[in-house]
Amino acid sequence: MSLFDRLVVWTIPFVPKPLMRHVASNYIAGETIADAMRAVKDLNERGCCATLDVLGEFITKNEEAEAAVDEYLKLLDAIQAEQLDANVSVKLTMLGLKLDLDFCLQNVRKLVQRAKELNTFVRIDMEDSSCTTDTLGIYSKIRKEFDDVGFVIQAYMRRSLNDIQQQAADHKHVNVRVCKGIYVESRDIAYKDMAIVNANFNWLVEELLKNGNYVGVATHDEKLVWATYKLIHDLKLPKDKFEFQMLLGVDEQLRDLIVKDGYKLRIYVPYGQRWYEYSTRRLKENPRIATYVLKSWLGLS
Ligand code: FDA
């Protein structure tokens, strides 16, 4: 961690909560399902679809996982009731991944079953490397029962190419979000050189698309968006084989350009009461985000 990053981590507890709320409000839809519905409606009107994420992870009690399942079930019903173009994204630690794998599997099954009934989809987010194997294991079991579920692969992980090849071989075709990866991992398991992470991102997208899988290209890095445009052109891919994905409140100009080019774009919309814990922990985990947020807040990017 650089000196600047250490400084960022050190100052986080001193940032006044109202200021944190102000900054977070650009990236988080609010605290309630109603707030989330409003944000998605606005995005749908701008030509974007959405994926909704209930904030919260690393729970310690089964009841917390059950409460999360209830919230997600209500959320799926609300999406249906409001007729919005959205699905959901879920972190498995919030559904009990670190408590009991069978319990977590049952919780995921409840969500995917409901999503199937409502003709929508559940994306399983990827968390830090201590979760990778178990997350893919649960995905794989659920995918044998349902088509309406996808996972996330992180381009910084050295294992990722093997993981997508394995999953694609096991399930004929898979629906994968490709992202760079947000957690701080050690060099023995993750690429540290951003040029390699970017090249690996493009490689993973190509490997998946060439083999008939559906890809969510999740990035705000215009070089990677451009590389996907070129790949789509070279492979003569129809538009229903991929989508672009971005986080709420990040580079809205790029978002609008992608929509204008006629591509499907999905915005990741987090909401929930635990926005403060989520924001501060994320900043501590990866101070690079704090620099992005600060620059964008000051109008420097
Ligand atoms: P890069 O980090 O190079 O950023 C490119 C530019 O985008 C920056 O220069 C900056 O201007 C802007 N930017 C990026 N992130 C920003 C932010 N948070 N705030 C303000 N500006 C920002 N990770 C993971 O490990 N597991 C997961 O499940 C997911 N899920 C996910 C879903 C979606 C829809 C997206 C877009 C991203 C994720 N991620 C994720 C996060 C991902 O791994 C990655 O950390 C971020 O997207 C940033 O990487 P970029 O590809 O945007 O490139």
Side-chain angles (χ1 to χ4, degrees):
M1 209 186 275
S2 72
L3 199 61
F4 180 74
D5 288 347
R6 274 177 224 267
L7 192 68
V8 167
V9 170
W10 183 78
T11 52
I12 288 167
F14 302 105
V15 178
K17 202 167 171 183
L19 179 59
M20 277 297 263
R21 178 188 281 272
H22 180 70
V23 174
S25 67
N26 293 314
Y27 304 99
I28 292 169
E31 295 193 1
T32 64
I33 290 184
D35 293 332
M37 295 296 102
R38 261 192 299 280
V40 173
K41 199 157 182 249
D42 176 62
L43 289 166
N44 284 177
E45 281 165 7
R46 291 171 192 275
C48 306
C49 52
T51 186
L52 282 154
D53 166 61
V54 182
L55 294 175
E57 53 212 274
F58 290 104
I59 49 138
T60 52
K61 297 188 200 97
N62 283 12
E63 303 87 77
E64 290 174 285
E66 282 154 6
V69 171
D70 282 349
E71 178 73 9
Y72 268 104
L73 293 175
K74 282 189 200 136
L75 183 59
L76 286 166
D77 288 345
I79 293 169
Q80 168 82 359
E82 305 260 347
Q83 296 281 295
L84 295 175
D85 188 353
N87 60 33
V88 297
S89 288
V90 63
K91 290 185 174 51
L92 293 195
T93 53
M94 196 180 175
L95 300 190
L97 189 80
K98 297 277 187 182
L99 301 180
D100 174 348
L101 288 180
D102 277 340
F103 171 65
C104 182
L105 178 68
Q106 286 167 32
N107 288 332
V108 181
R109 187 180 288 116
K110 282 184 199 157
L111 293 191
V112 181
Q113 172 73 52
R114 188 78 186 119
K116 181 186 166 69
E117 286 159 14
L118 298 175
N119 199 23
T120 183
F121 181 85
V122 176
R123 170 80 56 197
I124 299 176
D125 284 344
M126 188 57 80
E127 300 176 71
D128 69 69
S129 58
S130 71
C131 303
T132 312
T133 299
D134 288 340
T135 299
L136 290 175
I138 288 198
Y139 163 78
S140 203
K141 286 189 176 140
I142 291 290
R143 178 65 182 79
K144 286 197 177 111
E145 298 173 43
F146 302 95
D147 288 337
D148 324 77
V149 61
F151 67 98
V152 176
I153 206 80
Q154 295 154 323
Y156 63 17
M157 293 292 282
R158 293 177 189 268
R159 59 180 282 174
S160 288
L161 185 67
N162 277 338
D163 284 336
I164 56 163
Q165 287 173 335
Q166 182 68 55
Q167 294 298 335
D170 288 352
H171 306 293
K172 257 193 352 212
H173 67 90
V174 284
N175 184 323
V176 186
R177 173 195 297 151
V178 180
C179 67
K180 289 188 187 180
I182 194 87
Y183 303 90
V184 178
E185 303 288 0
S186 63
R187 190 177 172 200
D188 55 331
I189 56 166
Y191 299 112
K192 290 293 179 185
D193 181 330
M194 280 318 279
I196 299 180
V197 174
N198 293 347
N200 202 39
F201 185 107
N202 291 331
W203 189 9
L204 294 168
V205 171
E206 182 169 357
E207 181 74 14
L208 286 161
L209 287 177
K210 265 194 340 204
N211 291 302
N213 302 291
Y214 188 91
V215 181
V217 182
T219 185
H220 320 91
D221 184 338
E222 199 170 352
K223 288 189 295 301
L224 300 185
V225 171
W226 179 87
T228 304
Y229 274 25
K230 179 163 186 324
L231 181 67
I232 291 160
H233 175 269
D234 292 349
L235 295 177
K236 299 188 176 55
L237 266 187
K239 286 190 173 166
D240 62 352
K241 289 288 178 198
F242 61 90
E243 64 189 42
F244 290 95
Q245 299 186 352
M246 294 174 68
L247 301 174
L248 183 69
V250 177
D251 201 344
E252 292 176 348
Q253 189 177 16
L254 179 62
R255 176 194 76 184
D256 293 343
L257 286 167
I258 295 173
V259 172
K260 203 165 141 218
D261 287 335
Y263 294 113
K264 183 164 182 175
L265 179 66
R266 189 177 300 280
I267 302 292
Y268 189 99
V269 179
Y271 81 95
Q273 287 171 355
R274 299 181 64 186
W275 64 269
Y276 182 74
E277 295 86 331
Y278 173 85
S279 310
T280 48
R281 200 169 46 68
R282 273 293 144 81
L283 292 177
K284 280 184 200 157
E285 270 170 8
N286 192 344
R288 197 162 50 99
I289 299 176
T291 315
Y292 289 160
V293 172
L294 198 64
K295 275 167 94 182
S296 123
W297 196 51
L298 297 173
L300 299 175
S301 68

